[in-house]
Amino acid sequence: MENRYVIILAAGKGTRMKSKLYKVLHPVAGKPMVEHIIDQVEKTNPSEVVTIVGHGAEAIKSHLGERSQYALQEEQLGTGHAVLQANSLLADKKGTTLVITGDTPLLTAETLKNLFDYHQGKNASATILTAHAADPTGYGRIIRDHIGIVEKIVEQKDATEQEARVQEINTGTFCFDNEALFNALSKINTNNAQGEYYLTDIIEILKKEGKAIAAYQMSDFEEAMGINDRVALALANKIMYQRLNKMHMMNGVTFVDPDTTYIDEGAVIGSDTVIEAGVHIKGKTVIGEDCFIGAHSQIIDSVIEDNVKITQSVVEESIVRKNADVGPFAHLRPKAEIGEHVHVGNFVEVKNATIAEHTKVGHLTYVGDADLGKDINVGCGVVFVNYDGKNKHRTTVGDHAFIGSSTSLIAPVDIAANSVIAAGSTITNDVSEYDLAIARARQENKAGYAKKLPYLNN
């Protein structure tokens, strides 16, 4: 198999996005566009990948890291000029080079492999990836002769009225014989409406030199979508989420309403899990089998083990072990670890805390910076007071302890196993095993005093 190279064009700022974030870093299904591109091109087994950077170069490098080499386009003088920046890295090498733009996140590895294979099968110097567009506005047109051979690509601003009616469009993705590509790049000029070096001009140059030009038309126009503004970005997200949801459903996941369910690329979901409407699953979340994720829950970069029930809750960077249930309206903040068969009820917040198996935290409770053992009952309205205004402190609660309602545990404090905290207590000292701790003011009733209150005598 001959060497394959990839050049990703990612130097443009994307002014039509009207954003401080560089265009190729805008996320589609939770991942920057340019990362979608490199994910797919890596599946074609290239020998080298070169990303052309300009605006936002350091930010792009931080996302792609060592997955690519980089070439800097200091001035954005067109796509041909951008590819030329890879000259020192690739020009003297034999093989096939894929040139792809960093704002086409819907392209798939299957399409790119087909393009490589078609290019090699035709023994072409250049092969254009094309698509049929019902509305070709904004795209370069593929101009063929009377027997269907590609003559040239015409950008919309340079197209005649007749050329503008052509519906076969250039997707901006090409395969080239690498040596022919860089030889032709030295011959392009800026004689066009934009005053830029068009990569598409190479097609005409190669054709005049008698080189074979091919065009591979893919079946799905949606893959060709380039993202130039927020409208296209929203549509790309919709398409990607639909694609991902279909994949999960084919793998045995039930979606009650897939049109309103958003699963980021990279999330893993086990079979027989049911996901209701309005759910967002983000980042590198892993969800096991036989789970239930209730409507409008949000799960971010978390691990949810088998047979877990989450109802209308938010889970961030946390772990929920088998057979636990969370919610409704619970919030697991980063570094929460919920043990097997644990119940975390409504309006409970857990942060940087571990809760061991069979413990119950029913409602209206904050558990922060704490380690709870197994079989503990935490009453309503309990607060783990972890912050003294300067530092965070931890609380430990032993197995089988009972924490009465409306208790405040002032960290650092150690509540031993099998101890009981009376409701309404404020605990500032350690509690030993089997102790009952009561820390509240003694009640005193003033007989008849209420008769003196003016609002009772109106």
Side-chain angles (χ1 to χ4, degrees):
M1 179 177 174
E2 70 172 352
N3 289 328
R4 291 180 173 181
Y5 309 101
V6 177
I7 298 174
I8 302 173
L9 305 183
K13 185 176 182 181
T15 55
R16 280 182 283 174
M17 298 296 285
K18 294 182 171 58
S19 175
K20 295 181 285 297
L21 183 65
Y22 301 106
K23 180 169 73 168
V24 299
L25 295 181
H26 278 267
V28 173
K31 179 181 288 188
M33 285 189 263
V34 72
E35 284 195 46
H36 283 287
I37 295 296
I38 203 164
D39 285 349
Q40 299 306 309
V41 301
E42 284 178 342
K43 295 175 184 177
T44 68
N45 300 313
S47 302
E48 295 181 54
V49 176
V50 178
T51 303
I52 311 301
V53 294
H55 293 291
E58 293 307 314
I60 292 170
K61 290 179 182 179
S62 70
H63 278 281
L64 301 187
E66 296 181 358
R67 299 171 73 183
S68 174
Q69 299 183 76
Y70 302 93
L72 179 64
Q73 186 188 23
E74 293 183 357
E75 293 182 88
Q76 276 65 62
L77 301 177
T79 52
H81 179 258
V83 174
L84 190 59
Q85 307 313 302
N87 185 77
S88 62
L89 295 170
L90 296 179
D92 60 345
K93 298 181 178 180
K94 294 183 181 295
T96 299
T97 296
L98 172 72
V99 178
I100 186 169
T101 59
D103 62 356
T104 52
L106 299 176
L107 279 169
T108 64
E110 181 181 5
T111 294
L112 299 179
K113 289 176 182 177
N114 289 342
L115 176 61
F116 270 119
D117 292 344
Y118 188 87
H119 172 79
Q120 291 166 0
K122 292 293 184 181
N123 198 27
S125 290
T127 301
I128 311 156
L129 181 63
T130 73
H132 181 271
D135 178 7
T137 304
Y139 291 94
R141 309 304 202 274
I142 304 299
I143 307 303
R144 298 176 182 265
D145 65 15
H146 66 287
I147 60 172
I149 296 175
V150 176
E151 289 189 327
K152 60 182 177 177
I153 303 171
V154 178
E155 299 299 323
Q156 176 153 317
K157 291 184 178 180
D158 301 309
T160 65
E161 184 176 345
Q162 182 178 355
E163 290 168 340
R165 288 197 292 269
V166 172
Q167 290 182 294
E168 186 180 12
I169 57 97
N170 169 33
T171 66
T173 299
F174 306 84
C175 272
F176 294 101
D177 173 85
N178 189 66
E179 292 174 302
L181 168 63
F182 284 98
N183 286 335
L185 280 170
S186 63
K187 301 173 184 178
I188 60 176
N189 57 52
T190 59
N191 296 330
N192 52 64
Q194 291 286 84
E196 294 183 348
Y197 296 95
Y198 288 158
L199 179 63
T200 51
D201 287 348
I202 289 178
I203 302 302
E204 199 166 355
I205 291 170
L206 292 175
K207 191 169 183 63
K208 287 178 179 178
E209 293 176 351
K211 304 288 178 62
I213 307 299
Y216 172 70
Q217 185 170 339
M218 60 183 180
S219 58
D220 186 357
F221 172 72
E222 286 183 343
E223 281 193 42
M225 184 186 301
I227 313 303
N228 292 312
D229 56 32
R230 305 296 180 115
V231 176
L233 180 65
L235 182 56
N237 268 286
K238 182 177 181 179
I239 293 167
M240 185 66 81
Y241 282 127
Q242 289 174 339
R243 184 187 293 178
L244 292 167
N245 288 355
K246 181 178 179 180
M247 177 195 73
H248 289 297
M249 286 187 283
M250 296 303 292
N251 289 334
V253 179
T254 294
F255 287 80
V256 173
D257 184 2
D259 289 339
T260 61
T261 306
Y262 308 95
I263 315 297
D264 278 2
E265 199 281 330
V268 176
I269 308 173
S271 64
D272 291 316
T273 285
V274 176
I275 299 177
E276 291 193 325
V279 169
H280 290 238
I281 297 175
K282 300 184 177 184
K284 298 298 183 181
T285 292
V286 177
I287 297 176
E289 298 181 353
D290 302 295
C291 293
F292 173 84
I293 312 298
H296 308 295
S297 293
Q298 185 176 102
I299 303 174
I300 306 164
D301 290 320
S302 295
V303 174
I304 311 298
E305 294 187 349
D306 296 344
N307 201 38
V308 167
K309 181 178 181 180
I310 296 176
T311 308
Q312 290 172 281
S313 295
V314 176
V315 181
E316 306 174 76
E317 299 174 31
S318 296
I319 300 173
V320 183
R321 301 294 183 191
K322 295 177 182 179
N323 302 298
D325 68 278
V326 176
F329 310 116
H331 187 184
L332 304 186
R333 291 170 57 193
K335 298 182 180 179
E337 182 172 346
I338 308 304
E340 295 186 18
H341 297 279
V342 165
H343 169 63
V344 175
N346 51 294
F347 301 104
V348 172
E349 181 178 346
V350 182
K351 188 270 299 184
N352 191 25
T354 61
I355 303 177
E357 60 266 27
H358 293 284
T359 286
K360 295 177 173 58
V361 186
H363 32 221
L364 300 165
T365 290
Y366 171 68
V367 183
D369 297 285
D371 298 291
L372 280 66
K374 62 186 179 182
D375 291 304
I376 296 168
N377 185 83
V378 179
C380 177
V382 172
V383 178
F384 286 70
V385 185
N386 57 334
Y387 184 49
D388 64 9
K390 183 178 180 181
N391 297 306
K392 298 287 181 70
H393 303 279
R394 291 193 77 79
T395 295
T396 60
V397 182
D399 298 344
H400 311 292
F402 183 97
I403 312 297
S405 296
S406 298
T407 292
S408 294
L409 303 175
I410 313 297
V413 67
D414 182 11
I415 310 301
N418 301 299
S419 59
V420 176
I421 308 297
S425 294
T426 298
I427 302 299
T428 58
N429 298 316
D430 292 350
V431 179
S432 298
E433 188 170 12
Y434 298 112
D435 281 0
L436 166 63
I438 304 174
R440 59 193 184 206
R442 185 179 297 277
Q443 180 174 331
E444 182 178 350
N445 295 343
K446 301 288 187 179
Y449 188 84
K451 296 179 180 179
K452 300 179 182 179
L453 301 177
Y455 58 81
L456 292 180
N457 296 314
N458 290 338

